[in-house]
Amino acid sequence: MDPATRQLVEGVMRTFGVPIPNPRQWIPHSPTPRQELFLALQELEAFYGGAAGGGKSDALLMGALQYVDIPGYAAIIFRRTLQDLKLPEALMARAHEWLDRTPAKWVASDMQWRFPSGAILQFGYLDSEDDKLRYQSSAYQFIAFDELTHFTQSQYRFLFSRLRKLEGANVPLRMRSASNPGGRGALWVKNHFIPDGFVPAHAEAIRVWVKPITYEADEMLMLKDLFVGESLPVNRAFVPARMQDNPHLDQASYISSLYQLDRVTREQMLKGDWSIQVIGRQRFYGPMIEQFTAKPGVTGELRLKKDEFGTETPMFFPLDRGALEVWEPPQRGRVYAAGADTAEGIEMSEDPEAKSDPDYSVCEISDAMSGEQVARLRYRMSEAVFGEDLYTLLRWYNSPFFVPEVKGGYGRATLNKLLDLGYPQTLIFNKHLMDELQGLPPYRGDVSYHDLGWNTMPANRELLISLLDDAILKHKIEEYDSVGIEELRHFCYDARGKAKAESGYHDDTVIAKCLREVARIFAKKLAPMRARQDAQAASLSKTPRKYGQQPRRDVEEEQWWKSQQRRR
Ligand SMILES: Nc1ncnc2c1ncn2[C@@H]1O[C@H](COP(=O)(O)OP(=O)(O)OP(=O)(O)O)[C@@H](O)[C@H]1O
Ligand SMILES: [Mg+2]
């Protein structure tokens, strides 16, 4: 608005007794040139990132307060935890310094500032993944994350869906965040905002950097309602932060305090260096992987044997280089969990490197309660054979809850075989359970064939890997297979921040273990019901066996297993 128009508008407002917007009333600091740049950005998403002490958090608070004179305006600023929010140097305390002696009112129970216009500024935290659900029915025009690298990408995306236009007012929608490099989420933040080729030296110029957005299908869906009849944003904005920008900071004492930190962190904090890479860094925590002790299991294969009643029973046949490795044979009454990754056919793989060393199909089984690995099937076979073998293997292990990956046609073909043979649908993972894992309420309707299996997508891959990460970090599982342990060691971040097998290694068992960890969650839930069924079956087995009933495993076979275990 040019000064003449502004004067005119203000004159009219004064005549009608409308309060004149005056952000200065709420914002006691004058922005530095770089903060000003950040505050003027028109992009939907913008990030103020880099060196410590540059005034990033301050800029978020200024941004939140820019429109509080507009009725109905709502802004929220997040920190990862409530404790973070309450830190004396954090933004909640700063807001008190700024607003305590103004007409704005603090409502502690809602962690909200309420302004005379009716606008609000709220503070929020997202400690655990499901904290985001508290904001499910809220709507904001300004959403900010301070220390963005402390958040997960899924939290950031979830809050994105809480942006809503304000009816009848020309208030921009803004997702704003600030952070130093480093922190658990540094990689996704870097990939999201920092343009390729950006180095700390570029930060000297006071300018905005943009990174073109490549949308994933679900993101487009999310933004569709926000941009009816408009084109979607094409860029994300990034303003690099430098400590030197902030004349209000005691830089000497700040720098000396940074010298307490390790070298990488210090570089990141001092220079805002996003390029200090974590390529090749292990995705799973190395020292915890080393706590697993590899030991050979018994290798062999399973075959179905028909008894005199026509019932097929899985029987184990030892073989020197059998694809099935068993550390603990099934025991009656135990609850197991299984996950499987079907390999893409050799001839279909686009990766020329993969052709010489194609992927394996892998099924991982563990004791659902103790988390101990009990068996693993790993080979290169057609999906129909894999499906048949899975059926036998799962039957042998008391029909556990099973999570098959179905991405691409191969997993589905394996699953089809399993269903044809009669494996119960209720023991197979479906997409509604995935929704439940992502925080939605349990689904009560029918599950259709197309819902079955785990469909890995960019949005849920990290969740899948996090479940195994958590189990490793807290030592809630025990792994025995040397191949799997080796794969865990070589599951690393690539240059784009994606966790996958280092070149020359496979990650099929890692993925199968991840899927097995998903299965464990549901296997444990089903355990009490299974125990009741087992008790019933046990009482039946005292009466003479009838056609179709589960036969007892050969006494001979059980003795053989005992001898094998004694030998090891
Ligand atoms: N424009 C300004 N006017 C006056 N003081 C400012 C201004 N910008 C920042 N400050 C002050 O400088 C100090 C550091 O700023 P701030 O906390 O926003 O930096 P930061 O980049 O978020 O730092 P960190 O990396 O440690 O989170 C704070 O005390 C803040 O109030
Ligand atoms: Mg800060």
Side-chain angles (χ1 to χ4, degrees), residues 190-199 209-212 236 238:
K190 176 175 186 279
N191 291 331
H192 205 77
F193 287 109
I194 315 296
D196 299 335
F198 178 85
V199 295
W209 295 75
V210 294
K211 181 159 185 161
R236 301 190 175 107
F238 162 54

Side-chain angles (χ1 to χ4, degrees), residues 208-243:
V208 179
W209 295 75
V210 294
K211 181 159 185 161
I213 306 177
T214 39
Y215 286 105
E216 278 157 26
D218 49 338
E219 285 175 324
M220 303 265 263
L221 220 59
M222 198 154 89
L223 291 170
K224 205 180 65 198
D225 295 339
L226 274 182
F227 293 92
V228 188
E230 299 169 44
S231 47
L232 293 181
V234 288
N235 287 323
R236 301 190 175 107
F238 162 54
V239 174
R242 294 177 83 224
M243 196 182 294

